[in-house]
Amino acid sequence: MTGQLSELASEAYVFGFPLVFNGEQILRLTTSGIGTLPSASFNSFSHARALASPRDTFVSINNDTVYSIAPVDLSVGPVLLSVPEAGDRYYVLQFVDAWTNNFAYVGTRATGNRRGDFLLVPPEWEGGPEAEGVTVIRFPTRIAVIVGRWACDGEEDLPAVEELQNSLTLTPIRKSLTPPQGVPVVAGGLSEALDFFERLRVWALAFPPAERDRAALDSYGELGLTSAYTVAEAPAEVREALEVGYAAGKQALQMAVRSGDGPYVNNWLVNLHMFDYNLDFFEVGTLDDPAWKHADPKTRYATRAAAALAGLWGNHGYEAAYFFTYLDAAGDALTGEHTYALRLHPTPPVGAFWSITMYDLPNFYLVENQAARYSIGDRTRGIVYDDDGGLTITMSATRPADEKAAANWLPAPQGEFRPILRLYAPKQELVDGTYEVPAIERVV
């Protein structure tokens, strides 16, 4: 019986990981902030005023855009989002619910760059006069995160970005002295595993999943995860199973992140569909299209959990595609002990821009380096193209002696690493696989 409960607990860990991890990051944002993003109260934006650096300890954070992130809590009723005129600058506001479903997009691709107003409403909202003349965005869960990214062309472009950030507002429609409910407090103080499952129990009650996922949640009732009683009050046999299941689920999830859930092309994991697990909530800017839905119930929860661990708050592939690799052309692990070259000819076809960002392992954090360069792409100043128009990028832990290689250098850590190729507004050749990213070749 204990073995069956442990296996069930392992499944519950994978099922609940996105909710718990996301909730922890929301709490982090509303209390201490995240890296250079200062803390923000619910229904207000936290603006980064600089491009990300290794100080920003957040999984797979990007160095292409400046962030504006808002924790939103609609316990106060509808909230009006106002966005400024953005000119010809690429930006996206991505809406992520408590279970990490991307359920709406506002921005260049989705709604254009004109000034606009959007009414954010809670799941139970039944309509009202406040919706007149504005686009309504219904939230699947009471809380959600708006993850804003503004394209930024270096330090000198930051003042213009800041002006846009300051024009981005959230305004509750109903005046009240009652503060937002926020994320329910979970005391903790047990073991790592039991604290995790207690957060899952409490937060799943506060933020119910999609209707199709409720049967899965209910199946964990034997573990006390749908109970009004705390995990600490569960029988010893159940608590033991939760400990064992937590360890097994955590290990399985880490292996899933390594193996990925997409095709490998030249040892790149082509993750066009990493965030396609949302099957139920399609507001403005999303594509309610079978081509962008991960419908397999046997793998969907694992895909969702792996996406949260490796790239929390990542976009759908039609907004921004993410290609990962851990391996060189020979299938060996990428490591700072060697020097590598990636030759792009032609460079990736995108509607906005592309970049490759370097991350360490196992944290997926940006890598400190002497050049203070964390990514390289088509907007990087000073890069040198090959005579035929291609681009050769050098990846190594030490600065190349050759000046051309140094101009195109993406610094790596001493240990193993994982680059991510980001493709903003990917063109059809990327989506259908006509364009292939070549393998990274070991040079030395």
Side-chain angles (χ1 to χ4, degrees), residues 370-385:
Q370 65 187 74
R373 176 183 280 179
Y374 314 110
S375 65
I376 191 168
D378 57 2
R379 300 176 307 147
T380 303
R381 287 176 172 78
I383 56 175
V384 180
Y385 286 84

Side-chain angles (χ1 to χ4, degrees), residues 15-248:
F15 176 85
F17 179 83
L19 174 68
V20 175
F21 190 44
N22 191 29
E24 290 170 345
Q25 299 309 309
I26 292 171
L27 285 174
R28 184 180 171 196
L29 181 62
T30 56
T31 53
S32 60
I34 298 174
T36 56
L37 278 164
S39 61
S41 57
F42 280 101
N43 303 327
S44 67
F45 276 96
S46 171
H47 300 297
R49 302 303 192 184
L51 290 165
S53 75
R55 297 190 306 275
D56 298 280
T57 52
F58 189 85
V59 292
S60 302
I61 197 169
N62 85 54
N63 184 246
D64 304 316
T65 63
V66 178
Y67 284 92
S68 293
I69 301 182
V72 179
D73 182 355
L74 299 182
S75 61
V76 298
V79 171
L80 186 69
L81 165 68
S82 297
V83 301
E85 163 70 46
D88 59 0
R89 184 184 304 274
Y90 172 84
Y91 85 99
V92 59
L93 300 181
Q94 166 200 5
F95 292 69
V96 188
D97 77 1
W99 290 86
T100 71
N101 293 302
N102 294 331
F103 65 93
Y105 292 96
V106 169
T108 305
R109 177 198 61 83
T111 57
N113 280 18
R114 296 179 181 175
R115 188 202 170 282
D117 294 319
F118 302 85
L119 189 68
L120 317 182
V121 302
E124 69 280 2
W125 186 74
E126 296 181 353
E130 60 264 69
E132 293 181 10
V134 297
T135 299
V136 171
I137 300 177
R138 186 181 295 272
F139 279 37
T141 51
R142 171 172 59 80
I143 66 162
V145 183
I146 301 175
V147 184
R149 300 171 175 88
W150 307 89
C152 181
D153 290 330
E155 297 293 323
E156 62 274 17
D157 195 28
L158 286 170
V161 173
E162 183 172 343
E163 186 175 346
L164 290 168
Q165 289 176 313
N166 292 341
S167 300
L168 191 63
T169 62
L170 287 166
T171 308
I173 297 298
R174 300 169 187 169
K175 305 303 179 185
S176 173
L177 296 177
T178 304
Q181 294 175 24
V183 179
V185 175
V186 178
L190 302 172
S191 66
E192 178 181 308
L194 296 185
D195 283 349
F196 171 90
F197 284 114
E198 180 63 5
R199 292 188 187 101
L200 173 55
R201 184 190 70 83
V202 174
W203 294 348
L205 287 171
F207 313 117
E211 188 65 37
R212 76 173 67 241
D213 297 329
R214 295 189 184 185
L217 179 61
D218 289 343
S219 73
Y220 309 129
E222 292 180 72
L223 300 168
L225 301 183
T226 58
S227 169
Y229 299 98
T230 67
V231 166
E233 297 174 273
E237 181 185 37
V238 169
R239 284 184 277 118
E240 179 183 351
L242 291 174
E243 295 280 358
V244 174
Y246 176 85

